[in-house]
Amino acid sequence: MENAQAKPRFVSLKLKWALGTAIGSLLISLVVVTALFGSFTRDLLSQERQALRTSITTTQRQLAQLPTTNLTTRQVQQVVKKGVDLRPDQGTGVAYRRPTLQGIASGKLAVTIYNRQGTALFTTGSRAKAFKKVTSLTVSQVKGKQHAILVGRAPIRQASNHRIIGYLQVENHLTSYYQRYQRLLLISGLALTLVVLASGLLGYGLSYFILRPLDSIQETIEAIRDDPTKNERVPVLKRNDELGELSALFNEMLDRMQRYIDQQSQFVGDVSHELRTPVAIIQGHMQLLQRWGKDDPKVLDESLAAVVAETNRMNSLVQEMLDLSRAEQVEVNYHDATTPVREVVHQVYNNFQMIHPDFHFVLDDDLRKDETVKIYRDHLEQILIILCDNAVKYSKEQKQIHLSLSRNLRAVEIGVQDFGEGISAEELAKVFDRFYRVDKARSRKRGGNGLGLAIAKRLVEGYHGTITVESQLGSGSLFRITLPIVEEVAAQPPAPEKKRRLRKKERNKNKDKDKDK
């Protein structure tokens, strides 16, 4: 059981790369060297065969001149000792001669001459193979004592009438050939060894240079594993390749993970801080009722009313915290969402006109057409509701809300302006912080938890937009939202499969309507 769960042995990627390079180079070199080695050895063996044939032909020609019907030892000795005319000497112009025996009986050839009956008349060395009568010249490669040898056999025919007067057998033990063969084999082996070593070292050095960022990534991962909150990042590499992109993506992932950890810690801290007060209030009233307040109707009613109010506020706070938590993840869950902005703005404008009839709402729509922006529809509506609700809450005598809708080169701008209390310059930079209230006492009475603007800001930034505020005490505030416009893409006809799914979905809707009826 322990062996089955044992950790596999670690093998460095650099070593694997070096081994792979060495093996690949070995295979390629082996194919090339084998082809060259085979071609060279075949040429050597062909030369040996040709030399054997030449020796046999030369000897045949000399012995065929004898006027006899059967060779004798004396006749053969006269022929082999007889000189053979060679080409003239270039210096003197006089032809020179050398014995036939010297031409055919070199150190690598063994010549044996037989008469018609197969009796050996003359030999220049030890014979490895027995005599065999033949009718034509044959050269064959046969097994020898140590290695293969070449054996050539030919009949000796009289030149005048072509009658067989004897036989000739020439053996080449291929000693010179196999010496060259062994030398070439040794050189090939050394060359292959050198190729493997050189390619392995080169592969290891190249992998060390190329895979160096992986060491930095590993060190960063180990540091983050030991302490997830540690601000450790992979060094930025100035290289345009996959590892450079991997390092950048890894740092981006760590930044996002760190942001989620910080958000979680802040979420827990904010919730515990904000819930401490309502929980204390509820606990105090419950203890009061438990001691003696339940017998006093007035105290009972006041305590129950306070508990219900604090419970409602806790419920609202928890819901807003959940909304804020979801807003932190819009880049993951809603990165492809789009919305026609004019329709949503007009919808929110009409709803607030109906909900707050005592307010005067004004909408300036400067869009030439309904632009599509990169945001989820419910989130855009939630942002506008937060801003309009704040505008209503913080308006005093002048109950007027001004909404504007326009566009610039690549974005749509939405403005929400009120003419109420306004915000001081010192507090203007803090309005988007969690649980921050300009007037904490009055904000709590109005039911606010200080999370609305934080949610709005996180939602807008999650869709790569911006939200800004301009304000002055006593003159009101102007919140301006900028959202990127989605580029128009030519409509593509739905695929057949998509059409079928749409028709099926429509039929299911019709069936549900019929059931409801």
Side-chain angles (χ1 to χ4, degrees):
M1 188 67 180
E2 293 180 357
N3 294 333
Q5 296 179 353
K7 185 178 179 180
R9 183 180 180 183
F10 174 79
V11 180
S12 173
L13 189 59
K14 300 182 184 67
L15 181 59
K16 291 181 180 179
W17 190 323
L19 289 176
T21 304
I23 293 174
S25 301
L26 175 62
L27 294 177
I28 296 174
S29 302
L30 189 61
V31 172
V32 175
V33 170
T34 302
L36 294 176
F37 183 82
S39 176
F40 189 74
T41 53
R42 282 194 299 269
D43 290 342
L44 286 178
L45 188 60
S46 177
Q47 292 175 9
E48 297 290 346
R49 285 178 178 271
Q50 186 62 35
L52 186 64
R53 287 179 178 273
T54 301
S55 298
I56 294 175
T57 304
T58 302
T59 306
Q60 274 184 315
R61 189 180 299 117
Q62 295 297 324
L63 296 175
Q65 304 298 325
L66 295 175
T68 182
T69 58
N70 193 10
L71 290 176
T72 63
T73 302
R74 182 179 180 183
Q75 292 173 334
V76 172
Q77 289 178 350
Q78 290 177 352
V79 171
V80 297
K81 292 179 181 180
K82 183 180 178 181
V84 179
D85 292 335
L86 300 176
R87 64 180 182 278
D89 183 83
Q90 294 180 357
T92 61
V94 179
Y96 64 93
R97 303 168 65 87
R98 74 178 180 185
T100 304
L101 180 62
Q102 184 180 351
I104 63 174
S106 62
K108 61 182 181 180
L109 296 178
V111 181
T112 305
I113 301 173
Y114 300 89
N115 59 14
R116 291 177 58 184
Q117 289 75 28
T119 303
L121 303 177
F122 176 83
T123 183
T124 62
S126 60
R127 287 170 290 172
K129 296 297 175 183
F131 167 73
K132 183 186 294 185
K133 291 183 178 181
V134 293
T135 57
S136 62
L137 192 154
T138 62
V139 177
S140 59
Q141 187 172 349
V142 298
K143 185 178 180 181
K145 294 181 179 180
Q146 297 179 348
H147 48 70
I149 63 174
L150 289 178
V151 177
R153 298 184 178 95
I156 302 174
R157 297 180 184 272
Q158 197 174 25
S160 58
N161 55 20
H162 298 288
R163 290 181 180 178
I164 296 177
I165 60 176
Y167 297 94
L168 177 64
Q169 179 172 307
V170 180
E171 296 178 354
N172 186 347
H173 294 272
L174 298 177
T175 303
S176 176
Y177 166 78
Y178 278 104
Q179 288 176 351
R180 294 183 182 182
Y181 184 93
Q182 295 295 335
R183 190 180 304 115
L184 184 60
L185 186 63
L186 178 62
I187 293 173
S188 300
L190 293 176
L192 288 176
T193 304
L194 182 62
V195 167
V196 171
L197 292 177
S199 60
L201 293 175
L202 179 62
Y204 188 86
L206 187 62
S207 65
Y208 179 82
F209 173 75
I210 294 177
L211 301 179
R212 187 168 51 186
L214 292 181
D215 295 332
S216 301
I217 295 176
Q218 181 180 0
E219 293 174 359
T220 305
I221 292 175
E222 291 176 351
I224 297 297
R225 180 192 60 189
D226 298 334
D227 183 7
T229 61
K230 190 173 184 180
N231 189 20
E232 190 79 15
R233 297 295 180 269
V234 179
V236 179
L237 303 175
K238 296 181 179 179
R239 47 190 296 176
N240 299 322
D241 56 13
E242 290 81 357
L243 288 178
E245 293 182 358
L246 177 63
S247 300
L249 290 174
F250 186 72
N251 285 338
E252 183 180 345
M253 182 196 69
L254 290 179
D255 292 338
R256 181 174 296 182
M257 184 183 70
Q258 188 66 43
R259 188 166 63 248
Y260 287 158
I261 293 175
D262 295 340
Q263 290 167 358
Q264 183 181 13
S265 300
Q266 186 177 2
F267 180 87
V268 173
D270 292 341
V271 168
S272 60
H273 178 270
E274 289 296 319
L275 291 181
R276 186 180 296 115
T277 299
V279 169
I281 293 174
I282 294 174
Q283 183 180 9
H285 282 284
M286 291 296 101
Q287 290 175 351
L288 177 63
L289 293 178
Q290 186 179 21
R291 289 196 303 268
W292 56 272
K294 60 180 177 292
D295 299 328
D296 189 340
K298 184 178 180 180
V299 174
L300 179 62
D301 291 340
E302 291 179 354
S303 297
L304 292 178
V307 169
V308 170
E310 293 302 323
T311 304
N312 291 334
R313 194 164 74 84
M314 289 174 60
N315 184 38
S316 174
L317 175 63
V318 171
Q319 184 60 46
E320 288 185 354
M321 292 297 295
L322 290 176
D323 291 341
L324 182 60
S325 178
R326 296 189 187 102
E328 304 287 355
Q329 303 178 14
V330 295
E331 295 173 275
V332 178
N333 300 327
Y334 301 96
H335 61 279
D336 292 330
T338 58
T339 299
V341 64
R342 171 182 281 171
E343 178 183 342
V344 177
V345 173
H346 279 261
Q347 176 185 334
V348 174
Y349 167 74
N350 294 329
N351 291 341
F352 268 81
Q353 274 190 320
M354 179 183 63
I355 297 173
H356 301 282
D358 54 330
F359 276 78
H360 179 59
F361 290 87
V362 179
L363 174 60
D364 291 336
D365 187 354
D366 295 333
L367 293 181
R368 296 182 180 180
K369 61 177 183 177
D370 194 359
E371 300 288 353
T372 301
V373 294
K374 191 175 181 61
I375 191 173
Y376 182 51
R377 180 188 179 96
D378 292 351
H379 290 163
L380 177 58
E381 185 176 349
Q382 183 180 4
I383 294 168
L384 294 176
I385 290 174
I386 290 172
L387 297 181
C388 291
D389 189 55
N390 278 350
V392 171
K393 287 180 181 179
Y394 293 98
S395 292
K396 293 182 178 179
E397 293 81 10
Q398 190 173 351
K399 296 185 176 182
Q400 181 177 342
I401 310 298
H402 186 195
L403 280 73
S404 62
L405 188 58
S406 61
R407 69 158 292 175
N408 55 27
L409 186 61
R410 293 183 179 179
V412 170
E413 293 185 358
I414 305 172
V416 178
Q417 183 177 11
D418 66 78
F419 302 92
E421 301 176 4
I423 308 170
S424 65
E426 294 80 12
E427 297 179 324
L428 198 60
K430 304 176 183 178
V431 295
F432 294 108
D433 294 345
R434 296 180 179 186
F435 301 105
Y436 183 79
R437 303 179 183 88
V438 177
D439 188 341
K440 297 176 175 54
R442 297 181 63 182
S443 298
R444 189 174 295 278
K445 291 179 181 178
R446 290 167 177 158
N449 293 309
L451 286 174
L453 291 180
I455 294 173
K457 180 178 177 63
R458 190 63 194 94
L459 286 174
V460 171
E461 291 180 347
Y463 293 105
H464 305 286
T466 60
I467 180 170
T468 59
V469 58
E470 300 173 9
S471 184
Q472 187 175 359
L473 280 176
S475 299
S477 305
L478 170 60
F479 287 86
R480 184 177 287 109
I481 305 167
T482 303
L483 293 171
I485 296 175
V486 179
E487 299 294 334
E488 294 184 358
V489 181
Q492 298 290 338
E497 182 62 27
K498 188 175 182 180
K499 287 182 178 180
R500 286 193 292 270
R501 289 200 301 267
L502 291 175
R503 287 197 295 266
K504 184 177 180 180
K505 187 175 181 180
E506 190 66 27
R507 287 196 299 268
N508 293 334
K509 287 184 178 179
N510 294 333
K511 289 180 181 179
D512 294 338
K513 290 180 180 179
D514 294 339
K515 290 180 180 178
D516 294 338
K517 292 180 180 179

